[in-house]
Amino acid sequence: MRKPILAGNWKMNKTRDAAIHFILEVEPKLPKDNVDVIVCAPAILLRDLVKRSEVIKVGAQNMNEHDSGAYTGEISPVMLKDTKVEYVILGHSERRAYYNETDATVNAKIKKALEFELKPIVCVGETLEQREAGKTNDVLSNQIKKAFDGVTIENPENVIIAYEPIWAIGTGKSATSKEAQDSCKYIRELLTNIFGENISSKIRILYGGSINVKNFKDIISQEDIDGGLVGGSSLKEDDFVELTKDCLY
Ligand code: PGA
């Protein structure tokens, strides 16, 4: 049995006060076991979140692939470890679209994250154009193969993939539970081909893209979907709590 995950991606939202308010409001209402609840926050909030949260696990939204050096504005894995951050989102489609993140940088970052025992949440997904052209599986195959090229996985429980169709992110138009399941199943097959079934059956695969309190139950109940990566709905305390409960269906 894979333990479900509810991961919030706050993106570039919340001040320190709002972040602390969220933790104080949400934590007492969270299920204590059987679901990993994660908040991926802007780097400047990470230390406060680590300090304040007891149930919620903390993740970054990006990380540089070098340990240190002349990379102005970047955050290194050494710094994330020093801050006691546990997770890191890698290859989010917004980073790929706006900040030149490529499959090659995602590959280097996954290797670095694992070297530092940070748990990567690796994002993949197709554009609407690619889906309509029937290329979804080709895109996923290409992204997964390149992201995991030369990667050794020792603890599959610590590697997370997020299937996030780009057309569903922030649009209010989620994939249907069948579309999400089909792609997550396909991703698991790709992982089986690369790492073998023993490993692929333990890697958790999340769906992300316009998850809300109405559509999540149906999505999370699909066989190959082990949780959600949630943007907009993770900003609202009540919705976030409700989504964690949906994980315990
Ligand atoms: P959304 O974002 O839930 O607002 O669609 C998801 C994501 O980008 O991870």
Side-chain angles (χ1 to χ4, degrees):
M1 256 308 266
R2 294 179 294 267
K3 190 173 180 187
I5 292 179
L6 199 273
N9 174 11
W10 282 355
K11 309 193 180 184
M12 198 174 70
N13 290 291
K14 291 200 191 286
T15 58
R16 179 170 177 269
D17 280 354
I20 291 171
H21 178 266
F22 182 96
I23 297 293
L24 294 176
E25 183 80 13
V26 165
E27 284 236 311
K29 299 179 189 155
L30 290 179
K32 297 276 176 295
D33 301 309
N34 305 324
V35 49
D36 285 331
V37 182
I38 307 167
V39 165
C40 298
I44 199 160
L45 301 176
L46 293 173
R47 192 171 292 276
D48 277 304
L49 289 177
V50 167
K51 211 157 99 189
R52 302 273 178 151
S53 55
E54 285 169 19
V55 181
I56 292 175
K57 299 156 197 275
V58 180
Q61 297 173 2
N62 181 33
M63 179 195 88
N64 191 275
E65 64 271 36
H66 300 97
D67 295 5
S68 64
Y71 303 100
T72 302
E74 291 289 280
I75 308 281
S76 80
V78 177
M79 296 166 189
L80 293 183
K81 271 319 257 190
D82 186 49
T83 310
K84 301 200 165 43
V85 162
E86 207 176 322
Y87 295 85
V88 58
I89 296 176
L90 298 177
H92 190 280
S93 60
E94 287 151 16
R95 302 252 8 131
R96 293 181 193 250
Y98 309 145
Y99 303 103
N100 298 326
E101 192 93 40
T102 64
D103 290 321
T105 54
V106 173
N107 176 251
K109 289 178 183 197
I110 294 174
K111 288 177 180 160
K112 247 319 152 191
L114 294 177
E115 180 189 327
F116 281 86
E117 295 180 342
L118 289 157
K119 299 172 185 170
I121 303 174
V122 182
C123 299
V124 294
E126 80 288 359
T127 62
L128 185 58
E129 204 183 8
Q130 290 164 333
R131 172 161 283 263
E132 285 175 344
K135 293 198 176 127
T136 300
N137 284 359
D138 291 345
V139 172
L140 295 177
S141 166
N142 194 38
Q143 287 176 332
I144 292 283
K145 282 183 192 154
K146 287 185 176 160
F148 286 96
D149 184 36
V151 172
T152 309
I153 297 183
E154 276 163 24
N155 298 305
E157 299 81 3
N158 294 343
V159 174
I160 299 153
I161 316 273
Y163 167 60
E164 297 208 308
I166 294 167
W167 47 272
I169 295 178
T171 58
K173 187 184 182 301
S174 128
T176 64
S177 51
K178 181 171 183 322
E179 286 168 334
Q181 160 61 18
D182 287 351
S183 290
C184 290
K185 180 167 187 252
Y186 181 66
I187 290 169
R188 202 175 301 285
E189 285 165 12
L190 293 168
L191 295 169
T192 303
N193 290 339
I194 302 170
F195 297 110
E197 205 188 327
N198 188 32
I199 287 191
S200 76
S201 65
K202 295 188 181 114
I203 293 178
R204 287 171 289 177
I205 304 177
L206 316 181
Y207 166 78
S210 295
I211 286 175
N212 60 43
V213 291
K214 292 208 183 85
N215 62 22
F216 189 46
K217 226 179 200 153
D218 200 25
I219 292 171
I220 178 88
S221 63
Q222 303 297 313
E223 184 167 345
D224 285 286
I225 302 179
D226 306 310
L229 181 56
V230 188
S233 295
S234 76
L235 297 172
K236 301 175 223 150
E237 286 86 353
D238 290 349
D239 287 6
F240 190 74
V241 171
E242 202 154 323
L243 293 173
T244 61
K245 292 188 176 151
D246 286 343
C247 290
L248 304 172
Y249 65 93

